[in-house]
Amino acid sequence: MASKKGFCVESGIYYSKKEPIPLPPPHQHLNLTTYVFSHHSHHNNADVAFIDAPTGAYLTYAALRHNVNALASGLHRLGIRKRDVVLVISPNSIHIPCIYLAILSIGAILTTANPLNTDAEIRKQVKDSNPVIAFTIPELFHKARATQLPVVVIQTASRTPEQQAGGCVSTLHDLLQSRVDDLPSVDIKQDDTATLLYSSGTTGKSKGVVGSHRNHIAMVAAGLLQTQDKNQNDSGEKKDVYLCIMPLFHVYGFFYTVSSVAKGNCMVVMSKFELAEMLKSIERYRVTTLPAAPPLLVALIKSSIVAEYDLSSLRIIGSGGAPLGKEVIDEFITRFPNVEVRQGYGLTESNGAVTFTSTSEENKKYGTAGLLAANVEAKIVDTVSGKALPPNQRGELWLRGPTVMKGYFGNMEATAATLDSEGWLKTGDLCYIDEEGFLFVVDRIKELIKYKAYQVAPAELEELLLSNPEIADAAVIPYPDKEAGQIPMAFIVRKSDSKLKEEDVMSFVSKQVAPYKKIRRAAFVASIPKSPTGKILRKDLIQQTLSTSKL
């Protein structure tokens, strides 16, 4: 019989070493909002759920629950029904969690857009997802108006004449006055679609990822179990205070939001990221937990202003979005010895993290993205033969479990290419799993540099470059070469006092890597383009490089 923990030689499957998490029976009719609020019997309704970082305005759990029900009633009054898609275009605010939970509670489908997207990009997403109404803030009203959708304006008590003429059907303020007694009763199955979140599109066209209520329930359940285990070990510990700098329109921010509500924690919300404002918020609100991306850890290490703030409340930084190098971890631990760096791996298609480190010992496993989460299975598959590989061999990571998406919205071809008939999600990431079950992410397969007969991972070279004290940030891309096919090219952001030259960069790397991994071209730039979650947008750098003959 195949082992259900660790690696099974016969099947080539890696099983989670964690105990399975009990989930609601699949046939039980249940939506994510109800599931999240069902854990509130032990919460104090007077506890603060969300705080607006700059102003200190807050929302208690009692107010949150009332607002969700009132907004759900108001949406129903506007004609929003089960399976209708509702678009939200907004920066982070304490209003967003209420909007999300209300939409899901009536069986409507949430789709979100990056508020920095252009009008054309938003119209393209609207054409793809076909929403019936949009929520946005007054400053972005013109973007929602360009979609020709009816609009609900957030953060205002009354509609301006321009908004009324432009399709504004209500304000959030007005909808929150709706009678809770008029709350509709909607029959929602766990397999019903809850979200339509768009993939980052860092290596290709962004696609709508279909997430079910059960996908998200399974993800929240895993987070709840972690909290219960931690509270058993640390009796009397106060509830966590999260600082949300991750965009709430992204799966990372969405998960932390609903998870925070289920746990009864407090989340401090920043509308946009500024390092000084983040540090001030950690000090002011005694933040304990900071979900982040690797560039933020680099900033905390290298910025001179960090020492001006009291960060003693901070206990945990959860890092995701990209691999975190040993040098960065070592330097961070030296500077912040009382802060645990917990790493994880997930993607929009898995609706959140599917591997993570959760103990002090696991955190010391440098370079890992952690162990498989409970209920998650994995394969490492040879990209040529399709054969499942044993520990310590590199291949494409495949995942299977209750959080894996239903597919790509309206895109059967992309779904078939990513999800096989047995439910395996092909991640497109080159990884390996060691003999202890820890996952190591090497790079995106599509982003590997093909130098002659060798494959070079940009992330490995970027990690090395960041260890140079004169380099503030770096990115590596493939550059066309007639002889080699592709060569590694580095984009470098120098520290303000640095006089680093191209030959210095190449020399620094060449002394520490095999010949085929050498940087053979370098350019200096003011900044590296990144997604809202900190992923390097290498395709933008590649397009920029190919479109000009001289850098």
Side-chain angles (χ1 to χ4, degrees):
M1 180 180 291
S3 170
K4 291 301 180 182
K5 288 189 178 183
F7 178 66
C8 174
V9 176
E10 291 80 8
S11 65
I13 296 175
Y14 295 84
Y15 294 95
S16 174
K17 293 187 172 183
K18 302 180 186 295
E19 290 300 320
I21 295 174
L23 298 176
H27 61 270
Q28 179 183 346
H29 289 204
L30 180 65
N31 66 74
L32 178 61
T33 302
T34 299
Y35 180 79
V36 163
F37 280 135
S38 70
H39 295 276
H40 276 209
S41 58
H42 59 286
H43 299 335
N44 186 337
N45 280 333
D47 286 348
V48 174
F50 296 97
I51 301 175
D52 179 62
T55 68
Y58 65 88
L59 199 64
T60 65
Y61 272 96
L64 175 65
R65 186 187 287 271
H66 175 273
N67 287 356
V68 167
N69 290 337
L71 180 54
S73 179
L75 287 172
H76 190 264
R77 178 165 51 83
L78 284 179
I80 308 304
R81 297 294 184 265
K82 184 178 179 180
R83 298 188 185 89
D84 284 342
V85 178
V86 179
L87 171 66
V88 178
I89 316 169
S90 174
N92 291 0
S93 83
I94 61 174
H95 302 293
I96 300 303
C98 172
I99 294 170
Y100 287 1
L101 293 169
I103 291 168
L104 299 174
S105 73
I106 60 172
I109 300 168
L110 168 68
T111 191
T112 59
N114 186 339
L116 297 179
N117 282 356
T118 64
D119 291 5
E121 288 170 327
I122 290 174
R123 284 197 300 270
K124 188 175 182 180
Q125 182 174 330
V126 166
K127 184 178 180 181
D128 186 69
S129 59
N130 195 29
V132 299
I133 197 168
F135 279 81
T136 195
I137 60 173
E139 294 82 356
L140 297 177
F141 181 75
H142 64 284
K143 291 190 177 184
R145 183 179 184 181
T147 67
Q148 305 298 312
L149 290 171
V151 179
V152 175
V153 176
I154 308 169
Q155 294 175 317
T156 183
S158 59
R159 291 174 285 171
T160 65
E162 179 190 8
Q163 290 170 352
Q164 286 179 311
C168 178
V169 294
S170 188
T171 67
L172 177 62
H173 177 272
D174 287 344
L175 290 177
L176 290 176
Q177 312 310 309
S178 304
R179 286 167 46 89
V180 175
D181 293 344
D182 296 335
L183 186 66
S185 176
V186 185
D187 185 29
I188 302 171
K189 300 174 183 176
Q190 291 182 59
D191 196 47
D192 287 339
T193 299
T195 57
L196 193 52
L197 303 178
Y198 278 72
S199 61
S200 60
T202 53
T203 59
K205 181 182 176 183
S206 182
K207 298 179 285 293
V209 173
V210 180
S212 69
H213 286 268
R214 187 166 181 81
N215 287 155
H216 296 300
I217 286 170
M219 190 60 68
V220 171
L224 285 168
L225 188 67
Q226 277 184 272
T227 302
Q228 290 165 6
D229 291 344
K230 183 183 73 174
N231 288 342
Q232 287 169 3
N233 295 332
D234 304 317
S235 57
E237 181 180 355
K238 292 182 179 180
K239 291 180 179 177
D240 286 326
V241 178
Y242 293 155
L243 178 59
C244 182
I245 58 173
M246 304 301 293
L248 294 180
F249 66 80
H250 187 270
V251 67
Y252 197 178
F254 175 81
F255 164 69
Y256 265 100
T257 300
V258 295
S259 180
S260 179
V261 174
K263 295 174 183 178
N265 288 330
C266 174
M267 178 178 279
V268 180
V269 181
M270 291 181 63
S271 60
K272 60 181 179 179
F273 173 74
E274 292 177 352
L275 183 60
E277 287 300 312
M278 183 197 78
L279 297 171
K280 187 187 300 182
S281 294
I282 293 173
E283 178 180 89
R284 178 180 179 185
Y285 300 109
R286 307 304 294 161
V287 169
T288 64
T289 305
L290 178 63
L296 177 59
L297 275 78
V298 174
L300 288 172
I301 293 167
K302 299 197 174 188
S303 174
S304 59
I305 67 169
V306 173
E308 300 173 17
Y309 297 88
D310 177 8
L311 308 183
S312 59
S313 63
L314 194 61
R315 298 197 321 271
I316 297 169
I317 286 188
S319 178
L324 194 60
K326 180 180 184 300
E327 289 79 8
V328 173
I329 296 175
D330 284 343
E331 199 169 343
F332 186 88
I333 291 173
T334 300
R335 189 157 184 181
F336 303 97
N338 297 320
V339 180
E340 287 190 7
V341 179
R342 296 184 178 178
Q343 298 196 66
Y345 167 86
L347 52 167
T348 309
E349 287 83 349
S350 67
N351 288 291
V354 288
T355 72
F356 50 83
T357 60
S358 56
T359 68
S360 298
E361 285 304 311
E362 291 174 11
N363 295 337
K364 294 174 184 175
K365 188 86 171 181
Y366 291 123
T368 184
L371 297 168
L372 289 172
N375 303 345
V376 174
E377 300 169 349
K379 285 183 181 181
I380 300 294
V381 178
D382 186 280
T383 56
V384 177
S385 69
K387 179 184 176 183
L389 299 173
N392 296 312
Q393 291 196 29
R394 294 180 175 188
E396 182 180 14
L397 175 66
W398 290 16
L399 296 166
R400 185 167 67 181
T403 68
V404 169
M405 68 171 183
K406 296 174 69 175
Y408 293 116
F409 184 72
N411 195 331
M412 293 178 63
E413 182 179 352
T415 299
T418 307
L419 281 175
D420 78 359
S421 59
E422 296 181 346
W424 288 102
L425 169 66
K426 305 171 186 178
T427 67
D429 285 318
L430 185 69
C431 305
Y432 68 92
I433 296 176
D434 71 9
E435 62 282 346
E436 295 180 272
F438 286 91
L439 175 72
F440 292 80
V441 181
V442 179
D443 217 326
R444 293 289 294 171
I445 290 173
K446 289 182 179 179
E447 294 183 340
L448 293 175
I449 299 167
K450 312 298 193 301
Y451 177 83
K452 297 184 177 177
Y454 298 98
Q455 291 185 334
V456 181
E460 291 181 353
L461 294 174
E462 288 157 1
E463 176 186 333
L464 181 58
L465 288 165
L466 286 173
S467 70
N468 187 313
E470 292 192 66
I471 295 176
D473 206 355
V476 176
I477 67 165
Y479 187 85
D481 182 84
K482 288 182 179 180
E483 181 183 340
Q486 294 176 333
I487 59 172
M489 175 180 179
F491 286 81
I492 304 295
V493 179
R494 283 178 290 216
K495 296 198 77 173
S496 57
D497 57 348
S498 170
K499 293 182 171 58
L500 204 67
K501 298 178 181 178
E502 181 179 25
E503 55 266 31
D504 299 328
V505 173
M506 292 191 288
S507 175
F508 174 77
V509 174
S510 66
K511 294 174 183 177
Q512 304 180 69
V513 299
Y516 68 91
K517 292 183 181 180
K518 289 181 181 179
I519 296 292
R520 298 173 187 274
R521 187 179 176 97
F524 297 96
V525 292
S527 63
I528 303 295
K530 292 176 181 174
S531 74
T533 54
K535 290 181 181 178
I536 295 171
L537 298 177
R538 292 198 188 97
K539 69 175 184 179
D540 290 1
L541 288 170
I542 293 170
Q543 289 171 358
Q544 173 189 327
T545 304
L546 295 180
S547 65
T548 178
S549 57
K550 186 176 182 180
L551 288 166

